[in-house]
Amino acid sequence: MSEGEMTGTEHAGQTGQLSVVTTATDGIRVLTLAGEIDHHTGDTLRQSLDASGTPRPRVVADLHQVTFMDSSGINVFLAAHRALSEAGGWLRLAAPAPAVLRTLQIVGLDEIIDCHPTLQDALNG
């Protein structure tokens, strides 16, 4: 499979105001998120990021359609980053909208989790 080629959808779900579509690209799980990430939708995000039982899990969260994120999302991403790192894998954030990027920068999460301007950049590392 060529770099960046998408496979079929593994999972699609929607709860409240956050939808998550999970695909795979070259063995990397890509979560395409759309809507708001807050205390109402945090569990949906948490479940989507769960990679327990996967050796060396690699996950990219594509944030280009996320319109809002509060501290709930920050905490979920931070916990997922720790869990994925402990499992020998990684988490990368891709294409955050300006308002979401500002939130990531204010709390310094972009210094902890690799944050890339585009999905392709995140996939290429």
Side-chain angles (χ1 to χ4, degrees):
M1 188 176 330
S2 68
E3 187 72 29
E5 186 177 332
M6 302 298 270
T7 65
T9 298
E10 297 171 350
H11 169 76
Q14 183 165 346
T15 303
Q17 298 176 7
L18 179 68
S19 69
V20 180
V21 175
T22 303
T23 56
T25 300
D26 297 329
I28 300 169
R29 192 168 71 171
V30 177
L31 305 177
T32 302
L33 308 170
E36 298 182 356
I37 301 172
D38 58 23
H39 69 280
H40 296 295
T41 61
D43 284 339
T44 300
L45 179 60
R46 186 176 294 106
Q47 291 169 6
S48 299
L49 289 165
D50 183 11
S52 36
T54 304
R56 296 182 314 279
R58 300 176 297 160
V59 179
V60 171
D62 182 354
L63 304 175
H64 83 274
Q65 296 179 72
V66 174
T67 56
F68 173 81
M69 182 170 61
D70 69 8
S71 62
S72 301
I74 299 296
N75 290 328
V76 170
F77 280 126
L78 189 55
H81 167 71
R82 286 182 184 144
L84 293 167
S85 295
E86 288 172 3
W90 46 254
L91 171 64
R92 295 179 184 153
L93 305 178
V100 173
L101 178 60
R102 181 76 178 126
T103 301
L104 295 170
Q105 291 171 332
I106 286 170
V107 299
L109 195 65
D110 63 324
E111 299 292 324
I112 298 169
I113 300 173
D114 288 340
C115 189
H116 299 268
T118 69
L119 175 59
Q120 196 60 50
D121 288 340
L123 290 170
N124 293 335

